[in-house]
Amino acid sequence: HVTGASLPGVLGVMIGHNENIGWGITIAYTDVEDIFIEKIDPSDPNRYFYKDGKRTFKTVEEKIHIKGLSNPHIEKIRYSVHGPIISGVLDKDSRCLSLCSKSLNILKVSDGILKMNMALDYDSFSKATKLINAPQLNIVYSDIKGNIGLFVTGDVPIRRKGDGQLPVDGSTGDYDWGSNIPLDEMPKLLNPDKGYIISCNNKITDNNYPYFLGNSFMNGFRANRIEKVFSK
């Protein structure tokens, strides 16, 4: 038996509780998108440079049905190894921008939410959160036994080079994504000594955390205010 709130299109209750546990969600603001500058082959606009050779753009035709028109608009989307081409840049015949994003993968958020809804303890809830590959979320947890916890979910890439804050050269492969941060090494808390957990879209790790999560977190004013009130 589950009650709470959700979003259209999401199977299950995103924020709520069942007989044993309750949970809440905020956006984690981890950095899971990069922009790559692809170098187009001047002799063939359908090809681009990658590492020591050239590759052909993959093309997908998207049908967009428009009210009042009998035939749909056909939008041709080109893909590089990094992701879809989103715009031209500078001299458009020689370079273009591609988007590499975890949100473009097949999303399993509904699988995780449904498992969360059916979880009855910390261990089963923890396993459920690992199914959520995107979007990246801070999920807080509590149960009838007095346990509280926090999980940062979602795949976060380990970049071979750089931090993804600016567009990078896609032709060398130097800035490609390698593996993801191991799920067991993503930030999480269980029953912290101070007795409470604060999650306000703020940065929840300190400088000792070994992986780069991003730098677009909220400014922390709300979290600091809650900390000030709770610590009295």
Side-chain angles (χ1 to χ4, degrees), residues 41-78:
D41 181 359
S43 64
D44 185 353
N46 294 315
R47 294 173 66 81
Y48 62 99
F49 294 98
Y50 183 64
K51 295 185 177 180
D52 295 329
K54 301 176 185 178
R55 296 202 180 188
T56 301
F57 287 109
K58 175 185 175 183
T59 301
V60 176
E61 292 188 352
E62 298 281 0
K63 292 183 179 180
I64 303 175
H65 296 277
I66 301 172
K67 183 178 180 180
L69 296 181
S70 57
N71 295 322
H73 168 75
I74 305 298
E75 183 72 19
K76 293 183 178 180
I77 309 298
R78 293 185 300 165

Side-chain angles (χ1 to χ4, degrees), residues 171-195:
S171 66
T172 64
D174 293 343
Y175 298 92
D176 287 3
W177 293 356
S179 58
N180 297 322
I181 297 176
L183 291 177
D184 290 337
E185 298 181 43
M186 288 289 287
K188 60 183 176 182
L189 285 173
L190 175 63
N191 297 329
D193 292 338
K194 62 183 181 181

Side-chain angles (χ1 to χ4, degrees), residues 78-95:
R78 293 185 300 165
Y79 285 80
S80 74
V81 293
H82 302 113
I85 305 306
I86 58 173
S87 75
V89 58
L90 302 176
D91 40 351
K92 65 179 181 179
D93 293 331
S94 64
R95 288 183 286 181

